[in-house]
Amino acid sequence: MNTSGSASIKEVFEKQKKQALKQRLTTAEERIALLQKLKAALPGIQDKIIEALAKDVSKPTFETHYMEYAGLFGVIDLTCANLAKWMEPEVRASAIDPNATVEIRPEARGVVLVIGPWNVPFLLAIEPMVAALAAGNTVIIKPSELTPHTSRLIAEFIPTVFPPEIVSVVEGGVEETGELLKLPFDHIFFTGSPKVGKVVMEAASKNLTTVTLELGGKSPCFVDETADIDRAAEAIMHKKTINGGQICISPDYILVHKSKEKELIGAFKKYIDQFYYSTGSFEGDDMSHIINQRNYDRLKGLYDDAIANGAKVAFGGTFHEEDIQIEPTILTNVSYDSKIMQEEIFGPLLPVIPYEKLDEAIDHVNKNSKPLALYVFSQNENTVETVISNTSSGGVTVNEGMLHVFDPSLPFGGINGSGMGVYHGIYGFRELSHLKPIYKASNGPLDESLHPPFAAKMKEASEPVLS
Ligand code: NAD
């Protein structure tokens, strides 16, 4: 364990528990001041973020810049610009007595545990923290141990911005997370795999702690016979290979109308060439490596199993064991029974599966766990509507990839197997708040119609009162 400061996990938690009562009473100005302090400090570690991510996952500098760093400024600015409005209680006349007043007041939840993943390890530790602080909570962050340089950076950075009673960092892996999960947090915000999401939810249930679970899953991508194939291929191939395919909302596999399969594969090849082979050979520096040997071996296993089950390589299939990197790979003739179609791929392998009837493709999606994201490429509004309304997923982008997640005016989260709860913008503020209803009765006489004794009232009523 390595907390920011030398205090034990329990001591940090107790300190925050005390502070939480004060923190919830802070004004919008005071919370904005905290966030502005964070914003002012970020440029000081920009190079360190790039360096840490390069060491942890060989992430290209450009990708680190826009995925882990630049976006945070927009998140902070949007929160600061709207926080006073978000914090305002909604006050109106009661629906049961026009002389009474009701209020819905966003109340801080208290002490929030943020558990981060390795795939976007800086942003996905800091962004939930911003929402939690905006909502008046204190925060303990547990970054992923699989990205140790980024974890260390967060642990060193946070104490330079916030006192430990407001934000602390606990570094470590399963053991430390297990210790944290025993504590009666007021809320846990977890980003990671569905498998560990279950562990978190089970632990949270012991204390009846509320949870936000930002998980993953197999996000399908529909391409119908009316789609603009060139556009679809460009958008899908870019989104599939960001971070080496290790993004929770990466297009996981393609369901394409069989009349367009060949054209789509041809267009995929064109864009893979354009993105990663512009000098004639693979430019590995522009694509993140696989996080670790275990995941590299897992992906190799998925690939080998697909091939053993009859899959054909339409492009790629080159694995660089020494750098644990995989070149963008397109697989056709993939059996639904192969392992690559059973688990989230989380790497640059892309199965392309043709369908004859849209219903078949929809049925396949509905047989499996609800995905985090779903993509539809089509110029036919009926197809788009049919897919959206007959499937369930965390969110949908039409004729592009990932944009429903990048737009902060939309809630982001999964459903069932892909998670629960949402954040981004006002939705994050509300998720990290308890929306407390308050009823302020009028000073008029009390309604005695339901008070005992009941005998006379039962007789008076023409029908039983509680039928
Ligand atoms: P993970 O579930 O392995 O780890 C996430 C966190 O849980 C880490 O901090 C880790 O230390 C901790 N952890 C791991 N095992 C644990 C255990 N047994 N008990 C307690 N804590 C434990 O996830 P990951 O591999 O870091 O990330 C990849 C997964 O996260 C993918 O499924 C991806 O789709 C998902 N993800 C989702 C989002 C989202 O916003 N929905 C974003 C990024 C990643």
Side-chain angles (χ1 to χ4, degrees), residues 301-352:
L302 292 182
Y303 173 86
D304 290 343
D305 177 78
I307 300 293
N309 278 289
K312 301 271 175 278
V313 180
F315 192 95
T318 309
F319 288 69
H320 299 275
E321 174 89 34
E322 64 291 358
D323 303 325
I324 53 168
Q325 197 176 31
I326 303 170
E327 298 189 23
T329 296
I330 298 173
L331 295 171
T332 58
N333 201 39
V334 177
S335 151
Y336 277 136
D337 296 330
S338 52
K339 286 188 193 143
I340 202 164
M341 290 308 293
Q342 312 289 324
E343 63 177 74
E344 182 180 5
I345 297 173
F346 225 57
L349 309 177
L350 184 62
V352 177

Coordinates of all heavy atoms in Angstrom, one line a residue, residues 301-352:
G301 N -4.5 -16.0 -28.1 CA -5.4 -17.1 -27.9 C -6.7 -17.0 -28.6 O -7.2 -17.9 -29.3
L302 N -7.3 -15.8 -28.6 CA -8.6 -15.5 -29.3 C -8.4 -15.7 -30.8 O -9.2 -16.3 -31.5 CB -9.1 -14.1 -29.0 CG -9.6 -13.8 -27.6 CD1 -10.1 -12.4 -27.5 CD2 -10.6 -14.8 -27.1
Y303 N -7.3 -15.1 -31.3 CA -6.9 -15.2 -32.7 C -6.8 -16.7 -33.1 O -7.4 -17.1 -34.1 CB -5.7 -14.4 -32.9 CG -5.1 -14.5 -34.3 CD1 -5.6 -13.6 -35.3 CD2 -4.1 -15.4 -34.6 CE1 -5.1 -13.7 -36.6 CE2 -3.6 -15.5 -35.9 CZ -4.1 -14.6 -36.9 OH -3.5 -14.7 -38.2
D304 N -5.9 -17.4 -32.4 CA -5.6 -18.8 -32.7 C -6.9 -19.6 -32.7 O -7.1 -20.5 -33.6 CB -4.6 -19.4 -31.7 CG -3.2 -18.8 -31.9 OD1 -3.0 -18.2 -33.0 OD2 -2.4 -19.0 -31.0
D305 N -7.8 -19.4 -31.7 CA -9.0 -20.2 -31.6 C -9.9 -19.8 -32.8 O -10.6 -20.8 -33.3 CB -9.7 -19.8 -30.3 CG -11.0 -20.5 -30.1 OD1 -11.0 -21.7 -29.8 OD2 -12.1 -19.9 -30.4
A306 N -10.0 -18.6 -33.2 CA -10.8 -18.2 -34.3 C -10.3 -18.9 -35.6 O -11.1 -19.5 -36.3 CB -10.8 -16.7 -34.5
I307 N -9.0 -18.9 -35.8 CA -8.4 -19.5 -37.0 C -8.8 -21.0 -36.9 O -9.2 -21.6 -38.0 CB -6.9 -19.3 -37.1 CG1 -6.6 -17.8 -37.1 CG2 -6.3 -20.1 -38.2 CD1 -7.0 -17.1 -38.4
A308 N -8.6 -21.6 -35.8 CA -8.9 -23.1 -35.6 C -10.3 -23.4 -35.9 O -10.6 -24.5 -36.4 CB -8.5 -23.5 -34.2
N309 N -11.2 -22.4 -35.7 CA -12.6 -22.6 -36.0 C -13.0 -22.1 -37.4 O -14.2 -21.9 -37.7 CB -13.4 -21.8 -34.9 CG -13.6 -22.7 -33.7 OD1 -14.3 -23.7 -33.7 ND2 -12.9 -22.3 -32.6
G310 N -12.0 -21.9 -38.3 CA -12.3 -21.6 -39.7 C -12.2 -20.2 -40.1 O -12.5 -19.8 -41.3
A311 N -11.8 -19.3 -39.2 CA -11.7 -17.8 -39.6 C -10.6 -17.6 -40.6 O -9.6 -18.4 -40.6 CB -11.4 -17.0 -38.4
K312 N -10.7 -16.6 -41.5 CA -9.7 -16.3 -42.4 C -9.2 -14.9 -42.1 O -9.9 -14.0 -41.7 CB -10.3 -16.3 -43.9 CG -10.9 -17.6 -44.3 CD -9.9 -18.5 -44.9 CE -10.4 -19.9 -45.2 NZ -10.4 -20.9 -44.1
V313 N -7.9 -14.7 -42.4 CA -7.3 -13.4 -42.2 C -7.4 -12.5 -43.4 O -6.8 -12.8 -44.5 CB -5.8 -13.5 -41.8 CG1 -5.2 -12.1 -41.5 CG2 -5.6 -14.4 -40.6
A314 N -8.2 -11.5 -43.4 CA -8.4 -10.6 -44.5 C -7.3 -9.5 -44.5 O -7.0 -9.0 -45.6 CB -9.7 -10.0 -44.5
F315 N -6.8 -9.3 -43.4 CA -5.7 -8.3 -43.3 C -5.0 -8.5 -41.9 O -5.6 -8.9 -40.9 CB -6.2 -6.8 -43.3 CG -5.1 -5.8 -43.5 CD1 -4.8 -5.3 -44.7 CD2 -4.4 -5.4 -42.4 CE1 -3.8 -4.4 -44.9 CE2 -3.4 -4.4 -42.5 CZ -3.1 -3.9 -43.8
G316 N -3.7 -8.3 -41.9 CA -2.9 -8.3 -40.6 C -2.6 -9.7 -40.2 O -2.1 -10.5 -41.0
G317 N -2.8 -10.0 -38.9 CA -2.5 -11.3 -38.3 C -1.0 -11.3 -37.9 O -0.5 -12.4 -37.7
T318 N -0.4 -10.1 -37.9 CA 1.0 -10.1 -37.5 C 1.1 -9.7 -36.0 O 0.7 -8.6 -35.6 CB 1.8 -9.1 -38.4 OG1 1.6 -9.4 -39.7 CG2 3.3 -9.2 -38.1
F319 N 1.8 -10.6 -35.3 CA 1.9 -10.4 -33.8 C 3.4 -10.1 -33.5 O 4.3 -10.9 -34.0 CB 1.4 -11.6 -33.0 CG 0.0 -11.8 -33.0 CD1 -0.7 -12.1 -34.2 CD2 -0.8 -11.6 -31.9 CE1 -2.1 -12.3 -34.2 CE2 -2.2 -11.7 -31.9 CZ -2.8 -12.1 -33.1
H320 N 3.7 -9.1 -32.8 CA 5.1 -8.8 -32.4 C 5.3 -9.1 -30.9 O 5.0 -8.3 -30.0 CB 5.4 -7.3 -32.6 CG 5.2 -6.9 -34.1 ND1 6.2 -7.0 -35.0 CD2 4.2 -6.3 -34.7 CE1 5.8 -6.6 -36.2 NE2 4.6 -6.2 -36.0
E321 N 5.7 -10.3 -30.7 CA 5.9 -10.9 -29.3 C 6.8 -10.0 -28.5 O 6.5 -9.7 -27.4 CB 6.4 -12.3 -29.5 CG 6.8 -13.0 -28.2 CD 5.6 -13.7 -27.5 OE1 4.8 -14.3 -28.3 OE2 5.5 -13.7 -26.3
E322 N 7.9 -9.5 -29.2 CA 8.9 -8.8 -28.4 C 8.4 -7.5 -27.9 O 8.8 -7.0 -26.8 CB 10.2 -8.6 -29.2 CG 10.2 -7.8 -30.5 CD 9.4 -8.4 -31.6 OE1 8.9 -9.5 -31.5 OE2 9.3 -7.7 -32.7
D323 N 7.5 -6.8 -28.6 CA 7.0 -5.5 -28.2 C 5.6 -5.6 -27.7 O 4.9 -4.6 -27.5 CB 6.9 -4.5 -29.4 CG 8.2 -4.3 -30.1 OD1 9.2 -4.3 -29.4 OD2 8.2 -4.2 -31.4
I324 N 5.1 -6.8 -27.5 CA 3.7 -7.1 -27.3 C 2.7 -6.1 -28.0 O 1.9 -5.5 -27.4 CB 3.3 -7.2 -25.7 CG1 3.8 -6.0 -24.9 CG2 3.9 -8.5 -25.1 CD1 3.2 -6.0 -23.5
Q325 N 2.9 -6.2 -29.3 CA 2.1 -5.3 -30.2 C 1.4 -6.1 -31.3 O 2.1 -7.1 -31.7 CB 2.9 -4.2 -30.8 CG 2.1 -3.0 -31.3 CD 2.9 -1.9 -31.9 OE1 4.0 -2.1 -32.3 NE2 2.4 -0.7 -31.8
I326 N 0.2 -5.8 -31.7 CA -0.5 -6.5 -32.7 C -0.9 -5.6 -33.8 O -1.4 -4.5 -33.5 CB -1.7 -7.2 -32.1 CG1 -1.3 -8.1 -30.9 CG2 -2.5 -8.0 -33.2 CD1 -2.5 -8.7 -30.2
E327 N -0.6 -5.9 -35.1 CA -1.0 -5.1 -36.2 C -2.5 -5.2 -36.4 O -3.1 -6.3 -36.1 CB -0.2 -5.4 -37.4 CG 1.3 -5.2 -37.2 CD 2.1 -5.4 -38.5 OE1 1.6 -5.2 -39.6 OE2 3.4 -5.6 -38.4
P328 N -3.2 -4.1 -36.9 CA -4.6 -4.2 -37.1 C -4.9 -5.4 -37.9 O -4.3 -5.7 -39.0 CB -4.9 -2.9 -37.9 CG -3.8 -2.0 -37.5 CD -2.6 -2.9 -37.3
T329 N -5.9 -6.2 -37.4 CA -6.2 -7.5 -38.0 C -7.7 -7.6 -38.3 O -8.5 -7.4 -37.4 CB -5.7 -8.6 -37.1 OG1 -4.3 -8.5 -37.0 CG2 -6.1 -10.0 -37.6
I330 N -8.0 -8.0 -39.5 CA -9.4 -8.2 -39.9 C -9.6 -9.7 -40.1 O -8.9 -10.3 -40.9 CB -9.8 -7.4 -41.2 CG1 -9.6 -5.9 -40.9 CG2 -11.2 -7.7 -41.6 CD1 -9.8 -5.1 -42.1
L331 N -10.6 -10.3 -39.5 CA -11.0 -11.7 -39.6 C -12.3 -11.8 -40.3 O -13.3 -11.1 -39.9 CB -11.0 -12.3 -38.2 CG -9.6 -12.4 -37.5 CD1 -9.8 -12.8 -36.1 CD2 -8.6 -13.3 -38.2
T332 N -12.4 -12.8 -41.2 CA -13.7 -13.1 -41.8 C -14.0 -14.5 -41.6 O -13.2 -15.3 -41.0 CB -13.7 -12.9 -43.4 OG1 -12.6 -13.7 -43.9 CG2 -13.4 -11.4 -43.7
N333 N -15.2 -14.9 -42.0 CA -15.6 -16.3 -41.8 C -15.5 -16.8 -40.3 O -15.1 -17.9 -40.0 CB -14.8 -17.3 -42.7 CG -15.5 -18.6 -42.9 OD1 -16.7 -18.6 -43.1 ND2 -14.7 -19.7 -42.9
V334 N -15.8 -15.8 -39.4 CA -15.7 -16.1 -38.0 C -16.9 -16.8 -37.4 O -18.1 -16.3 -37.7 CB -15.4 -14.8 -37.2 CG1 -15.3 -15.0 -35.7 CG2 -14.2 -14.1 -37.7
S335 N -16.7 -17.9 -36.7 CA -17.9 -18.6 -36.2 C -18.4 -17.9 -34.9 O -17.5 -17.5 -34.1 CB -17.5 -20.0 -35.9 OG -18.2 -20.5 -34.8
Y336 N -19.7 -17.8 -34.7 CA -20.2 -17.2 -33.5 C -19.8 -18.0 -32.3 O -19.8 -17.5 -31.2 CB -21.8 -17.2 -33.5 CG -22.4 -16.0 -34.3 CD1 -23.5 -16.2 -35.2 CD2 -21.9 -14.7 -34.1 CE1 -24.0 -15.2 -35.8 CE2 -22.5 -13.7 -34.8 CZ -23.6 -13.9 -35.6 OH -24.1 -12.8 -36.3
D337 N -19.4 -19.3 -32.5 CA -19.0 -20.2 -31.4 C -17.6 -19.9 -31.0 O -17.2 -20.4 -29.9 CB -19.2 -21.6 -31.8 CG -20.7 -22.0 -32.0 OD1 -21.5 -21.3 -31.4 OD2 -20.9 -22.8 -32.9
S338 N -16.8 -19.3 -31.8 CA -15.4 -19.1 -31.4 C -15.3 -18.1 -30.2 O -16.1 -17.3 -30.1 CB -14.5 -18.7 -32.6 OG -15.1 -17.6 -33.2
K339 N -14.2 -18.3 -29.5 CA -14.0 -17.5 -28.2 C -14.0 -16.0 -28.5 O -14.5 -15.2 -27.7 CB -12.7 -17.9 -27.6 CG -12.8 -19.2 -26.9 CD -11.5 -19.4 -26.0 CE -11.5 -20.9 -25.6 NZ -10.1 -21.4 -25.6
I340 N -13.5 -15.6 -29.7 CA -13.4 -14.2 -30.0 C -14.8 -13.5 -30.1 O -15.0 -12.3 -29.9 CB -12.7 -14.0 -31.4 CG1 -12.1 -12.6 -31.4 CG2 -13.5 -14.3 -32.6 CD1 -11.0 -12.4 -32.5
M341 N -15.9 -14.4 -30.3 CA -17.2 -13.8 -30.3 C -17.9 -14.0 -28.9 O -19.1 -13.7 -28.8 CB -18.1 -14.5 -31.4 CG -17.6 -14.0 -32.8 SD -17.6 -12.2 -33.0 CE -19.3 -11.8 -32.8
Q342 N -17.2 -14.5 -28.0 CA -17.8 -14.8 -26.6 C -17.4 -13.7 -25.6 O -18.1 -13.5 -24.7 CB -17.4 -16.1 -26.1 CG -17.5 -17.3 -27.0 CD -19.0 -17.7 -27.3 OE1 -19.8 -17.6 -26.4 NE2 -19.3 -18.0 -28.5
E343 N -16.1 -13.1 -25.8 CA -15.7 -12.2 -24.8 C -15.2 -10.9 -25.4 O -15.0 -10.8 -26.6 CB -14.5 -12.8 -23.9 CG -13.3 -13.1 -24.7 CD -12.1 -13.6 -23.9 OE1 -12.2 -14.8 -23.4 OE2 -11.2 -12.8 -23.7
E344 N -15.2 -9.8 -24.6 CA -14.8 -8.5 -25.1 C -13.4 -8.7 -25.7 O -12.5 -9.2 -25.0 CB -14.8 -7.5 -23.9 CG -14.4 -6.1 -24.3 CD -14.4 -5.2 -23.1 OE1 -14.7 -5.6 -22.0 OE2 -14.2 -4.0 -23.3
I345 N -13.1 -8.2 -26.9 CA -11.8 -8.4 -27.5 C -10.7 -7.5 -26.9 O -9.7 -8.0 -26.5 CB -11.9 -8.2 -29.1 CG1 -12.9 -9.3 -29.6 CG2 -10.5 -8.4 -29.7 CD1 -13.2 -9.1 -31.1
F346 N -11.0 -6.2 -26.8 CA -10.1 -5.3 -26.2 C -8.7 -5.4 -26.8 O -7.6 -5.5 -26.1 CB -10.0 -5.6 -24.7 CG -10.1 -4.3 -23.9 CD1 -11.1 -3.5 -24.0 CD2 -9.1 -4.0 -22.9 CE1 -11.2 -2.3 -23.2 CE2 -9.1 -2.8 -22.2 CZ -10.2 -2.0 -22.3
G347 N -8.6 -5.2 -28.1 CA -7.4 -5.3 -28.9 C -7.7 -5.1 -30.3 O -8.9 -5.0 -30.7
P348 N -6.7 -4.9 -31.2 CA -6.9 -4.5 -32.6 C -7.3 -5.7 -33.5 O -6.9 -5.7 -34.7 CB -5.6 -3.9 -33.0 CG -4.6 -4.6 -32.2 CD -5.2 -5.0 -30.9
L349 N -8.1 -6.6 -33.0 CA -8.6 -7.7 -33.9 C -10.1 -7.4 -34.2 O -10.9 -7.2 -33.2 CB -8.5 -9.1 -33.1 CG -7.2 -9.4 -32.5 CD1 -7.3 -10.8 -31.7 CD2 -6.1 -9.6 -33.5
L350 N -10.4 -7.5 -35.5 CA -11.8 -7.1 -35.8 C -12.5 -8.2 -36.6 O -12.2 -8.4 -37.8 CB -11.8 -5.8 -36.6 CG -13.1 -5.2 -37.0 CD1 -13.9 -4.8 -35.8 CD2 -12.9 -4.0 -37.9
P351 N -13.4 -9.0 -36.0 CA -14.2 -10.0 -36.8 C -15.3 -9.2 -37.6 O -15.9 -8.3 -37.1 CB -14.9 -10.8 -35.7 CG -14.2 -10.5 -34.4 CD -13.7 -9.1 -34.6
V352 N -15.4 -9.7 -38.9 CA -16.4 -9.1 -39.8 C -17.4 -10.3 -40.1 O -17.0 -11.3 -40.7 CB -15.8 -8.5 -41.0 CG1 -16.9 -8.0 -42.0 CG2 -14.8 -7.4 -40.7

